[in-house]
Every structure is written in C-alpha cells, then in structure tokens.
Amino acid sequence: MTMDSIALARAFGLFFATAITELLGCYLPLLWLTGRGSAWLALPAALSLMVFVWLLTLHPEASGRVYATYGAIYIATAIGWLYFVDGVAPTWNDYLGVGLALAGAGVIALGHRPA
C-alpha cells in the first residue's frame, strides 16, 4: 500500500465513523419520540452527537470541503443503515444516488490537488 492509499483509507474510515455517530445520535431520539424507547436514550444520543462533531474536526482540509465530502459518505452510510437497521432493501435509485454522490465527492476531494 502506498502512503496515498493509506491516507485515503484512513480518511474514509474517519468519515464512516463520523456518519455512524451522526446516524446513531439522530436515531436514538427517534426511538424515544416514537415510543420505541426510553427518554434516557437522549443521553447516549447527545454523547454520540458530541463525538460526531469532534470527529469532523480531525480532518486537516478546509471545513467546507470536508463537509461536502462527508455528505457523500453519509449518504452511502445511511443507505447501509436503511438495510441493516431499518430492514429495508435499497432500490436501484438508492444505489444510483449513492454512486452520484460519491462521484461528486471524488471530484471535490481530489480536484483541488495540484497536478
């Protein structure tokens, strides 16, 4: 593995962990608000959202570029969440949307580097 591929794998892993903490931080209150869980779920949800914000600060790039790239990883992770947590099979539209989002993120993330 080259240094570039290691850095890319680390960045992807960090974005994925960030997406999971955001999804969890939003999902736990949803369980409480829909009567499928206790109000105590707000505590781990708040902790999860604090970790989410902290994880976003670990990227060395400009925040706007980080948020734009993260958005695509979030979309891909949310479709995974749809399947694994919600039990709903993604459709071809979901996969196409993920592909388009990731392609756009690739343009943003890689397009600013000098040739």
Side-chain angles (χ1 to χ4, degrees), residues 47-60:
L47 178 61
S48 184
L49 290 173
M50 287 188 290
V51 171
F52 156 70
V53 171
W54 173 71
L55 288 172
L56 280 177
T57 69
L58 300 180
H59 294 275

Side-chain angles (χ1 to χ4, degrees), residues 68-91:
T69 305
Y70 165 70
I73 303 299
Y74 177 85
I75 290 168
T77 305
I79 295 302
W81 185 279
L82 175 73
Y83 181 75
F84 290 107
V85 176
D86 294 330
V88 176
T91 66

Side-chain angles (χ1 to χ4, degrees), residues 75 79 90-103:
I75 290 168
I79 295 302
T91 66
W92 71 269
N93 302 71
D94 297 319
Y95 293 121
L96 178 61
V98 167
L100 291 170
L102 291 173

